[in-house]
Amino acid sequence: MDAWNGRILVVEDSELNAILIRLLAEQLGWNCDWCESVQRLENALSSNQISYDFILLDQHLDAEKGGKWLHNFFCSNPDFKGYFIAISAQFFENDVQDLIRAGISGIFPKPIGRENLIAIKDALETKRIQGFSISYLERMFCNSPLVAQNFKTFL
């Protein structure tokens, strides 16, 4: 990761969730922008005027699942150097596998807390995200060690 700029982007269709994340980010002294749709996200990223340290992407945004959108985005933008972190109130095993294949940098459950934001920043600085322990993932995903194994190192 380049130097930390203290700027994140939240892509979330729930204004309340976006406001809560923004308040947490501001408490840390960060700037936080919000997009409520993938269309607005694409516009924000295509302008290239603002660089984000990471982008929190709601997994169940709009009609398109995060993994499918992310895969298409990376195919269309092979030189993109940013980090996407999926967030959701619930992840199903097939969603997680799609996100991994698409190139997601990390996955965190909602609600996002201050400690999650700090963990993401720290992990990106060391090029690894460990949002979950392996045992937690195995429990969360029906004791699937294959899925949990994919989360040892993200970047």
Side-chain angles (χ1 to χ4, degrees), residues 33-82:
D33 295 333
W34 170 50
C35 294
E36 70 276 1
S37 68
V38 292
Q39 291 79 19
R40 291 195 185 259
L41 168 62
E42 289 168 349
N43 292 339
L45 295 178
S46 66
S47 70
N48 285 331
Q49 295 176 359
I50 298 175
S51 175
Y52 295 101
D53 294 297
F54 62 87
I55 300 164
L56 291 174
L57 176 65
D58 182 1
Q59 159 61 13
H60 300 286
L61 190 66
D62 296 331
E64 227 176 333
K65 295 274 184 153
K68 181 179 177 188
W69 180 87
L70 193 61
H71 173 77
N72 292 337
F73 175 81
F74 281 134
C75 287
S76 301
N77 301 278
D79 297 327
F80 181 76
K81 301 287 187 228

Side-chain angles (χ1 to χ4, degrees), residues 7 16 50 52 64 73 122 124 129 132 140 152-153:
R7 179 171 291 280
L16 179 59
I50 298 175
Y52 295 101
E64 227 176 333
F73 175 81
D122 292 346
L124 290 175
I129 293 182
F132 300 118
M140 187 173 172
K152 282 191 174 174
T153 304

Side-chain angles (χ1 to χ4, degrees), residues 11-141:
V11 186
E12 167 67 70
D13 56 355
S14 166
E15 185 175 7
L16 179 59
N17 286 341
I19 289 170
L20 292 173
I21 294 170
R22 175 179 281 167
L23 289 172
L24 293 170
E26 288 174 353
Q27 287 176 356
L28 294 167
W30 304 352
N31 294 308
C32 180
D33 295 333
W34 170 50
C35 294
E36 70 276 1
S37 68
V38 292
Q39 291 79 19
R40 291 195 185 259
L41 168 62
E42 289 168 349
N43 292 339
L45 295 178
S46 66
S47 70
N48 285 331
Q49 295 176 359
I50 298 175
S51 175
Y52 295 101
D53 294 297
F54 62 87
I55 300 164
L56 291 174
L57 176 65
D58 182 1
Q59 159 61 13
H60 300 286
L61 190 66
D62 296 331
E64 227 176 333
K65 295 274 184 153
K68 181 179 177 188
W69 180 87
L70 193 61
H71 173 77
N72 292 337
F73 175 81
F74 281 134
C75 287
S76 301
N77 301 278
D79 297 327
F80 181 76
K81 301 287 187 228
Y83 300 98
F84 285 93
I85 311 296
I87 57 174
S88 181
Q90 63 182 25
F91 288 100
F92 297 104
E93 188 167 350
N94 60 332
D95 294 337
V96 172
Q97 291 171 351
D98 289 345
L99 287 165
I100 291 168
R101 281 191 294 274
I104 197 74
S105 298
I107 295 176
F108 280 85
K110 291 180 187 176
I112 294 292
R114 184 177 189 271
E115 67 281 355
N116 299 121
L117 294 177
I118 293 169
I120 293 169
K121 176 189 181 275
D122 292 346
L124 290 175
E125 288 179 333
T126 62
K127 300 292 188 200
R128 320 192 314 259
I129 293 182
Q130 297 171 332
F132 300 118
S133 69
I134 298 302
S135 61
Y136 177 82
L137 283 171
E138 288 173 353
R139 288 193 312 273
M140 187 173 172
F141 300 115

